[in-house]
Amino acid sequence: MSNDENRNAGTGGPSTSVITKVKPKTKRPNLYRVLILNDDYTPMEFVVLVLEKFFQKDAEAATKIMLHVHHHGIGECGVFTYEIAETKVTQVMDFDRKHQHPLQCVMEKKWTRDHRPGQKGTGIASICCDGRGRRPQ
């Protein structure tokens, strides 16, 4: 017998191997806050209507958010994935333009505890536009 045959014959049985299953790690999508900005012209009742219609808020929650916007200048309507937030902003902006109100609705990236604006590699802090790529006036 040659040396190669002796090496293979020495084990005497079938060879075994270990197969490991690797689960892919999925990353959670970035979330975006949809915000309404205060102005001096849009009626409070219209803001409540927008919150009820596009963000499924009940009258009490919508009124609470509207008053927050009125007193603080800005208020959060909800937190969504990018595509949904972008759609909500566009819907609100189209609706308020149709009703001839200057209400501004914007979206802003929601930062996690680990990633805040100003940290290396965080990118743009917010996307504030009127749904058509223009910044609010």
Side-chain angles (χ1 to χ4, degrees):
M1 245 199 237
S2 71
N3 285 340
D4 288 337
E5 290 175 23
N6 284 336
R7 278 189 223 142
N8 292 337
T11 59
S15 63
T16 59
S17 60
V18 177
I19 298 174
T20 58
K21 205 176 211 181
V22 178
K23 291 184 180 180
K25 291 185 180 180
T26 55
K27 183 181 164 192
R28 291 191 175 269
N30 290 324
L31 296 176
Y32 291 80
R33 301 169 65 209
V34 176
L35 308 167
I36 287 185
L37 308 178
N38 191 35
D39 64 67
D40 294 333
Y41 304 101
T42 305
M44 292 179 175
E45 296 80 15
F46 185 78
V47 176
V48 170
L49 173 66
V50 165
L51 291 165
E52 291 172 342
K53 182 177 179 73
F54 296 104
F55 299 97
Q56 290 69 50
K57 302 293 182 188
D58 60 34
E60 185 179 341
T63 302
K64 187 175 179 181
I65 293 169
M66 176 274 299
L67 287 172
H68 184 84
V69 171
H70 183 69
H71 293 296
H72 296 95
I74 192 167
E76 183 178 283
C77 305
V79 178
F80 309 95
T81 59
Y82 181 84
E83 292 80 10
I84 294 172
E86 185 178 45
T87 300
K88 298 267 186 200
V89 169
T90 301
Q91 288 173 333
V92 169
M93 295 303 294
D94 289 346
F95 187 71
D96 71 27
R97 295 290 179 254
K98 181 180 173 184
H99 290 86
Q100 299 178 342
H101 294 297
L103 183 66
Q104 292 292 308
C105 186
V106 298
M107 58 190 274
E108 170 185 272
K109 188 170 184 179
K110 182 174 171 63
W111 298 102
T112 63
R113 281 189 222 147
D114 301 334
H115 257 88
R116 296 260 181 232
Q119 287 183 339
K120 187 175 181 181
T122 58
I124 298 172
S126 65
I127 299 170
C128 295
C129 64
D130 65 3
R132 296 174 196 88
R134 299 183 302 238
R135 290 200 172 270
Q137 302 286 324

